[in-house]
Amino acid sequence: MTQTTTGATPRPPELRLASGLMRSLRDDLFTDAFAYRPLALMRTDGPVVRRLPRGIRPQAAYLPYAVVVFTAFCVTMLASANNLYGGPPLQFLVLGLLAAGPVLMTLVRPVGAYWTMLAMTTALAVLSDRTMTWPWSPSTFLATLAVMTFVAMRVRPRAAAWMWGITLLYGTVLPILVGDGGNLGPMAFFSAVALLVVTVRNTRKEARREVIAQQEVTAVERDRRTLLEERTTIARELHDVVAHHMSVVAIQAEAAPYRVKNPPPELEAAFVTIRENAVAALTELRRVLGVVRSADYEAPDAPQPTLASLDGLLANVREAGLSVDKTVTGAVRELPQGVELSAYRIIQEALSNSLRHAPGAPAGVEVSYVLGGLGVRVVNGPAVGDVAPSPGAGHGITGMRERVAMLEGEMTAGETASGGYEVAVFIPVRRRPEPEEEPA
């Protein structure tokens, strides 16, 4: 016995397309059509509003409300001015207020205002004369255009297309039902132009918003990548410093028992343990560094620079055209190699920034040996001459801050009152404990 399994018959593509269109119509113009959606205030930081006097700038935020209210006023006045046969002025004023109601309704319930406008147009078409725009009277014609425009500004372009199609269908079916000819051409043309302009405006605004958002994401990713690159550079440099000290510890621990005649076994075991721990630390250090070191990275042949090499750095930048002076205050002393290396790199980057961003400006380097640590200050004046500053990648300040944060220091960087730039850094240095004197 053979059993056949039949699945559900797939719907034709035409039916799926029609179903999708009906779903979009329902979502755009029927679902929560009369929901409360107040009109947002206008931003006051735009290029036009910023030129207004500061006293009236906050009131400019209510400009969209003023435009809607003024349009409703024009609709009311147009109905009153359409009193061609000398009828009661109050009657035409009421008709104008009825036509202006949906315009004001766009302030709080935009989609509902469109359906209300269609219902109001149907009611007023019975009372209005058969003019060239019937079934729209001059006031309802203006009100319908205004409502469609205001609603299109706040909905998706697809919803604007639905409104245009429904309006044309309405202008075609109503004259047929009433038994009188209508003129759909003016409404079809002017509403198409208005909705097209609004759709283009909304599309450009959305595209600009996406570009700004993408630029912000790109800037964040660029800063994060810069931070990681600087941390990798610091890790590479500090590897040589730490590896040197650990190698010295391992060598001294291995040689120490041979410097003492007949050392006790406990002392020999302690030195063996120290050497093993030092070698293990070196192995782990190299393994961790391999994660952040690129495959094409080559270790420097020369030792890592310290503040003792600062004169050579200043000579190089002077040859590049930078006039720089050095000032050293306090008692010069040997600092931990990590501190000396970071201070040297910070001064090097600050002087490089001076060469790029302030060509021709003099610079000054101050190194202060204080009781609690090391102070570094690099300041330059404004650019001199017609040489244009060279744009940088923005990595310099990020790298400085990363180095200072690693050493638990403090850093400030910013423009000076004279138009130059200043970088001030303080790196704390803990005092080394003095060796205890052996008893005589």
Side-chain angles (χ1 to χ4, degrees):
M1 181 176 177
T2 304
Q3 184 179 0
T4 58
T5 303
T6 59
T9 304
R11 294 187 300 174
E14 295 82 1
L15 184 59
R16 290 199 301 268
L17 178 60
S19 177
L21 290 175
M22 291 301 102
R23 189 182 304 111
S24 66
L25 173 61
R26 180 192 62 195
D27 294 340
D28 293 336
L29 296 181
F30 286 97
T31 303
D32 296 330
F34 288 86
Y36 181 71
R37 300 170 187 171
L39 178 63
L41 297 178
M42 188 176 69
R43 295 175 53 184
T44 57
D45 57 350
V48 177
V49 180
R50 282 201 302 262
R51 299 179 181 179
L52 297 176
R54 185 170 300 179
I56 65 174
R57 199 176 300 170
Q59 285 72 27
Y62 295 93
L63 182 60
Y65 285 79
V67 171
V68 174
V69 173
F70 177 74
T71 304
F73 174 77
C74 293
V75 170
T76 305
M77 294 296 100
L78 184 60
S80 301
N82 197 38
N83 188 357
L84 300 178
Y85 301 102
L90 182 60
Q91 173 185 349
F92 287 90
L93 180 61
V94 172
L95 295 179
L97 292 175
L98 292 176
V103 178
L104 296 176
M105 191 176 174
T106 58
L107 294 174
V108 290
R109 306 183 192 276
V111 179
Y114 172 72
W115 296 114
T116 304
M117 188 69 246
L118 289 183
M120 198 65 63
T121 301
T122 304
L124 297 180
V126 179
L127 303 176
S128 63
D129 298 324
R130 302 299 193 264
T131 61
M132 61 176 297
T133 60
W134 197 86
W136 292 277
S137 65
S139 59
T140 57
F141 186 89
L142 176 60
T144 301
L145 285 179
V147 169
M148 294 176 65
T149 302
F150 295 152
V151 175
M153 289 182 177
R154 302 171 60 184
V155 297
R156 291 179 292 184
R158 187 178 62 186
W162 277 119
M163 284 193 300
W164 186 72
I166 293 173
T167 302
L168 296 189
L169 181 63
Y170 169 84
T172 303
V173 172
L174 183 60
I176 296 176
L177 295 178
V178 175
D180 196 352
N183 188 1
L184 186 60
M187 176 58 70
F189 174 77
F190 287 105
S191 62
V193 172
L195 294 180
L196 180 61
V197 171
V198 172
T199 301
V200 172
R201 173 252 186 193
N202 289 347
T203 304
R204 292 188 57 186
K205 186 177 180 180
E206 183 65 25
R208 188 183 302 111
R209 187 183 299 112
E210 292 180 358
V211 169
I212 293 175
Q214 186 62 36
Q215 289 176 347
E216 293 177 354
V217 172
T218 303
V220 171
E221 293 296 331
R222 183 171 59 250
D223 293 341
R224 185 178 301 174
R225 184 176 64 251
T226 300
L227 184 62
L228 293 177
E229 291 175 355
E230 292 298 332
R231 288 181 177 178
T232 303
T233 303
I234 295 172
R236 293 168 180 169
E237 294 177 346
L238 291 184
H239 164 263
D240 298 324
V241 176
V242 178
H244 169 73
H245 286 294
M246 296 304 295
S247 299
V248 171
V249 170
I251 294 173
Q252 290 181 346
E254 185 176 6
Y258 299 100
R259 298 182 179 181
V260 180
K261 293 183 179 180
N262 300 322
E266 294 83 1
L267 182 61
E268 290 184 353
F271 280 119
V272 169
T273 302
I274 293 174
R275 182 182 181 280
E276 291 178 350
N277 289 334
V279 172
L282 277 172
T283 303
E284 290 296 320
L285 179 62
R286 293 190 181 99
R287 182 182 64 82
V288 174
L289 187 66
V291 178
V292 297
R293 173 173 287 174
S294 58
D296 57 349
Y297 173 75
E298 296 182 0
D301 297 332
Q304 293 293 343
T306 62
L307 290 177
S309 310
L310 189 58
D311 290 337
L313 173 63
L314 299 182
N316 289 335
V317 296
R318 289 191 184 103
E319 292 178 0
L322 179 65
S323 175
V324 57
D325 297 326
K326 183 185 75 169
T327 303
V328 179
T329 59
V332 178
R333 65 185 186 275
E334 184 179 356
L335 300 174
Q337 286 187 336
V339 174
E340 297 240 359
L341 172 62
S342 296
Y344 180 92
R345 294 301 189 197
I346 289 172
I347 296 174
Q348 183 182 39
E349 184 61 37
L351 293 177
S352 298
N353 289 341
S354 299
L355 283 170
R356 285 194 298 265
H357 303 295
V365 176
E366 299 179 9
V367 181
S368 302
Y369 292 86
V370 296
L371 185 61
L374 177 70
V376 174
R377 180 174 178 266
V378 181
V379 60
N380 62 266
V384 178
D386 299 331
V387 181
S390 174
H395 294 192
I397 298 298
T398 302
M400 295 182 201
R401 295 190 186 279
E402 187 66 16
R403 292 180 183 275
V404 174
M406 177 190 66
L407 298 174
E408 300 180 354
E410 299 178 357
M411 171 181 166
T412 59
E415 295 184 1
T416 62
S418 61
Y421 203 83
E422 178 188 40
V423 175
V425 173
F426 176 76
I427 303 175
V429 178
R430 296 182 177 87
R431 299 181 60 183
R432 297 180 179 178
E434 297 181 359
E436 299 181 357
E437 297 182 358
E438 299 182 357

